[in-house]
Amino acid sequence: MALASLIANIALVVTGAAVRLTDSGLGCPTWPKCTGASYTTTSAMGVHGVIEFGNRLLGVVLFVVALACFISAWRQRPRRPRQVRLSLLVLLGIPGQGVVGGITVLTDLNPWVVGLHFLLSMALIAAAYALWHSTTEGDAEPIYVVPRPLRHLTAATALASSAVIVLGVVVTGSGPHSGDNGAKRNGLDPAAIAQAHADLVFLLLGLTLGLWLAFRAVNAPVPARAALTLLVIELSQGLIGFVQYFTHLPVALVAAHMLGASLVWTGTVAVLLAIRTRAALTAVSPSPEQAVSTPANTPVSL
């Protein structure tokens, strides 16, 4: 169920891209209803209404899956509080994401609100991945498997990944795919913002490569595999980004680039969680004094 929640949250990003790239952002021109008189799309709304309403329906599916995760975590015996908290975080985040999505419609696809909508999806993906990862580890206190300097390098890599995604949102807000022909753009120079975004991508690639080599040097195979996976995703995403830029942003490549952004962030969270491990909780052993103490009702020979 946790894996299904993660996949569904990534799928929501892709369907959101379809809404924007087909100019269907106002296919349902109001919220929470699709029209002033109907919660569902009507024939008068055409294909744009179908696409926008379909994206809203996927949000309902996300909520159902998240609710199933929370119920499963709550009913699990012994109950694992960390899984309950993570599943509740994902569950509560989905209605919040829906509200922000509604605000994007009510503000006629303001690019900054649309960007916040995407970033909230990234937060939900991180929480969903953490929930899925928790199913493969115990509940003891985390033990780091790499030295402190590499933990700092991991944090720096995650920070660079965050900056790449945030600046990518700004690039999107300055570009042509606004979600509707009449939607405003953020007014920034697309070429200048795209160049800054590319510079950060090169920084992220360098940090990730260094992280992979460092993990190998200290014989940390699990973090090394996670870093290598992230590096491969970044290289693929970078290639898509360059091709889409020089081919003037074809719709298919932009959609692939948004999927890639979700995978880059998922890979980043995977590296953050791979540098530590949690053992299963064990029963507390009696102290030596308790082990040799005489039971209260045991007769004592004098």
Side-chain angles (χ1 to χ4, degrees):
M1 294 305 301
L3 178 59
S5 180
L6 173 62
I7 293 172
N9 274 283
I10 294 175
L12 186 66
V13 174
V14 178
T15 60
V19 170
R20 183 168 62 85
L21 295 170
T22 58
D23 291 329
S24 302
L26 296 177
C28 289
T30 188
W31 185 88
K33 293 184 176 181
C34 186
T35 70
S38 174
Y39 281 97
T40 62
T41 185
T42 64
S43 57
M45 310 306 299
V47 67
H48 295 310
V50 172
I51 294 172
E52 165 64 10
F53 184 68
N55 188 55
R56 294 186 183 189
L57 282 181
L58 183 57
V60 176
V61 173
L62 253 70
F63 183 82
V64 171
V65 173
L67 180 61
C69 279
F70 174 72
I71 293 173
S72 298
W74 183 263
R75 296 187 62 184
Q76 190 171 215
R77 294 295 182 271
R79 185 175 296 155
R80 301 177 63 185
R82 191 161 56 94
Q83 288 187 351
V84 173
R85 289 194 299 269
L86 285 169
S87 60
L88 181 61
L89 178 62
V90 175
L91 178 62
L92 295 179
I94 292 170
Q97 174 74 318
V99 170
V100 175
I103 295 173
T104 65
V105 173
L106 298 177
T107 58
D108 295 326
L109 307 182
N110 180 291
W112 301 108
V113 182
V114 173
L116 176 61
H117 194 41
F118 176 79
L119 293 177
L120 284 176
S121 285
M122 296 297 103
L124 282 172
I125 287 171
Y129 184 89
L131 175 61
W132 180 49
H133 183 78
S134 72
T135 64
T136 65
E137 59 181 5
D139 294 305
E141 288 299 312
I143 300 173
Y144 287 95
V145 298
V146 297
R148 186 180 296 273
L150 290 190
R151 288 181 243 163
H152 294 162
L153 181 58
T154 303
T157 304
L159 183 61
S161 181
S162 303
V164 165
I165 290 173
V166 170
L167 203 54
V169 169
V170 179
V171 173
T172 298
S174 67
H177 298 297
S178 61
D180 185 80
N181 290 329
K184 295 181 180 179
R185 303 284 72 205
N186 60 26
L188 301 176
D189 179 20
I193 299 299
Q195 182 60 60
H197 178 63
D199 293 341
L200 278 177
V201 169
F202 283 121
L203 173 63
L204 176 60
L205 285 168
L207 287 171
T208 307
L209 176 60
L211 200 59
W212 173 55
L213 294 174
F215 286 154
R216 286 173 55 87
V218 298
N219 193 26
V222 174
R225 283 196 299 271
L228 180 59
T229 301
L230 176 59
L231 182 61
V232 172
I233 295 172
E234 289 169 354
L235 289 171
S236 303
Q237 173 74 336
L239 177 61
I240 294 172
F242 275 107
V243 173
Q244 74 163 4
Y245 181 79
F246 290 109
T247 55
H248 307 293
L249 305 177
V251 168
L253 286 181
V254 175
H257 199 56
M258 292 191 70
L259 172 61
S262 301
L263 296 179
V264 166
W265 183 238
T266 304
T268 300
V269 176
V271 173
L272 282 170
L273 295 178
I275 64 173
R276 90 285 186 282
T277 184
R278 291 177 184 265
L281 291 174
T282 56
V284 179
S285 301
S287 65
E289 292 80 5
Q290 292 172 324
V292 300
S293 62
T294 303
N297 296 326
T298 300
V300 178
S301 175
L302 298 177

